[in-house]
Amino acid sequence: DMDSGPGTNTPIYGVAAVEGVETGDHPRREFAPGSLTFAPTPLPFKWQMTEDEAHDGAVVVGRVDDIWRDGALIRYRGVMDSAGEYGAEAERLIAGKFLRGVSILADDIEDQDIELVFPEPDMPAIEDESLEPQTETAMLAPRKVITHAGRIRSLTLVAEPAFVEADVQLGESPHVPLIAERETVMVA
């Protein structure tokens, strides 16, 4: 039911992730272009009420009915559980622009799907003996992690998304997924 109003499911839409763009956190993360697929819909739309690691403690507040690729953007549309206690509160926070960020939970990622990008060593000038060389542990930390394959299993409403473009909006989506695009990226 895509109708809006008290006690009904209010439509939502937005951007779930962006492929080929680095996140703002450290180490920077990136999904390679064309790397994301999607579990069959509907997918859970959750709300992380407290800042925990990996969406721990998130509660279901809606569902994602469609998810598709639009260039580098992964777009979605669905509905809030407006009649549920958590859904109604999450919807209120979205409407008041207190929360707007979305994060994805991806699985089906194998070790070979992850590329670690390390910083180039900054070699101090030989004349400057006051500088200490970089430590081995500093060299072990990747500057960026690129994921080359992953499957989106759920979306989570968060205060600070990894991608600034990842958001949620209330209302009907102005974007319409092409059926051919949806079928080519969905995974059973």
Side-chain angles (χ1 to χ4, degrees):
D1 183 4
M2 296 291 274
D3 296 332
S4 59
T8 61
N9 295 329
T10 302
I12 57 171
Y13 68 94
V15 172
V18 185
E19 294 176 318
V21 174
E22 291 183 359
T23 62
D25 53 0
H26 184 77
R28 301 210 185 260
R29 295 174 290 147
E30 178 181 325
F31 291 102
S35 64
L36 291 171
T37 59
F38 324 116
T41 56
L43 302 177
F45 187 80
K46 304 178 201 175
W47 173 29
Q48 185 175 348
M49 293 185 278
T50 60
E51 291 193 29
D52 287 323
E53 296 286 324
H55 306 174
D56 288 346
V59 295
V60 175
V61 294
R63 70 174 190 258
V64 174
D65 294 321
D66 285 306
I67 187 165
W68 68 97
R69 181 174 284 107
D70 181 7
L73 303 177
I74 305 298
R75 295 189 183 275
Y76 69 93
R77 67 179 173 190
V79 293
M80 294 294 293
D81 176 15
S82 305
E85 175 186 359
Y86 295 125
E89 179 61 9
E91 184 177 332
R92 182 189 72 80
L93 292 168
I94 295 167
K97 302 196 184 302
F98 296 104
L99 285 177
R100 64 176 274 298
V102 171
S103 180
I104 66 168
L105 177 65
D107 73 355
D108 205 22
I109 301 172
E110 303 294 332
D111 289 344
Q112 66 267 19
D113 299 329
I114 302 295
E115 175 185 353
L116 303 177
V117 179
F118 293 91
E120 294 295 322
D122 292 326
M123 300 304 292
I126 295 173
E127 305 85 40
D128 190 351
E129 294 180 17
S130 66
L131 295 177
E132 298 208 17
Q134 286 185 321
T135 65
E136 187 176 333
T137 55
M139 292 301 294
L140 294 177
R143 180 185 68 76
K144 181 167 65 169
V145 178
I146 303 173
T147 302
H148 290 278
R151 176 178 56 189
I152 297 176
R153 294 295 307 274
S154 65
L155 277 59
T156 303
L157 179 63
V158 295
E160 297 161 348
F163 297 103
V164 295
E165 302 88 350
D167 69 348
V168 61
Q169 305 288 324
L170 297 176
E172 294 290 341
S173 173
H175 310 282
V176 178
L178 299 174
I179 298 300
E181 288 178 341
R182 287 186 15 221
E183 290 173 353
T184 60
V185 294
M186 287 185 61
V187 175

